[in-house]
Amino acid sequence: VQLQASGGGLVQAGDSLRLSCAASGRSFSNYAMAWFRQAPGKEREFVAAIRWNSDITSYADSVKGRFTISRDDAKRTVYLQMNSLKSEDTAVYYCAASDLFSRLERMYNYWGQGTEVTVSS
């Protein structure tokens, strides 16, 4: 599966932004999908994940209550709605797909190219 992330940009603290990740290839609906992010000078970290049938989601503590992951299998797209953005949310955001639902980066086989989010304070 190939992934294409989009929707990043420059926003102010407190604003909202929605990231999208469009998938091509077969069997999108069978994959768990996730968002990770990498801030400047830091390692990539888990943000959110959603299981193949949307019945289970998981969030990093730092974004819980502010970010929402969702998917539309008909559109082969996964979304990350980000509200109440903070300067510490500034990062390149990557979407990823896995055969297994996980918070672990190493479990994800397919990765998008990343979309940059900058939050000014």
Side-chain angles (χ1 to χ4, degrees):
V1 62
Q2 294 181 324
L3 305 174
Q4 180 76 33
S6 62
L10 172 63
V11 297
Q12 293 186 335
D15 285 352
S16 297
L17 203 59
R18 189 177 79 160
L19 305 183
S20 299
C21 176
S24 61
R26 297 182 296 177
S27 303
F28 170 79
S29 60
N30 293 337
Y31 288 105
M33 300 296 297
W35 289 94
F36 291 81
R37 67 185 181 186
Q38 187 167 21
K42 295 186 177 181
E43 294 187 350
R44 192 155 56 184
E45 64 176 3
F46 169 78
V47 176
I50 186 167
R51 207 164 77 143
W52 66 274
N53 61 352
S54 302
D55 65 337
I56 297 177
T57 57
S58 181
Y59 296 92
D61 288 345
S62 59
V63 307
K64 199 173 295 183
R66 300 188 298 121
F67 290 11
T68 302
I69 188 171
S70 62
R71 64 190 296 162
D72 185 335
D73 288 344
K75 295 183 178 179
R76 306 167 74 83
T77 301
V78 63
Y79 303 98
L80 185 67
Q81 177 66 44
M82 305 186 295
N83 298 330
S84 302
L85 282 161
K86 305 175 181 179
S87 57
E88 51 262 45
D89 295 319
T90 294
V92 176
Y93 285 72
Y94 299 89
C95 59
S98 172
D99 295 324
L100 298 174
F101 178 73
S102 175
R103 297 165 62 103
L104 300 176
E105 182 178 343
R106 66 175 183 268
M107 300 302 292
Y108 286 81
N109 315 87
Y110 306 99
W111 291 83
Q113 85 291 358
T115 185
E116 188 168 5
V117 174
T118 303
V119 184
S120 63
S121 57

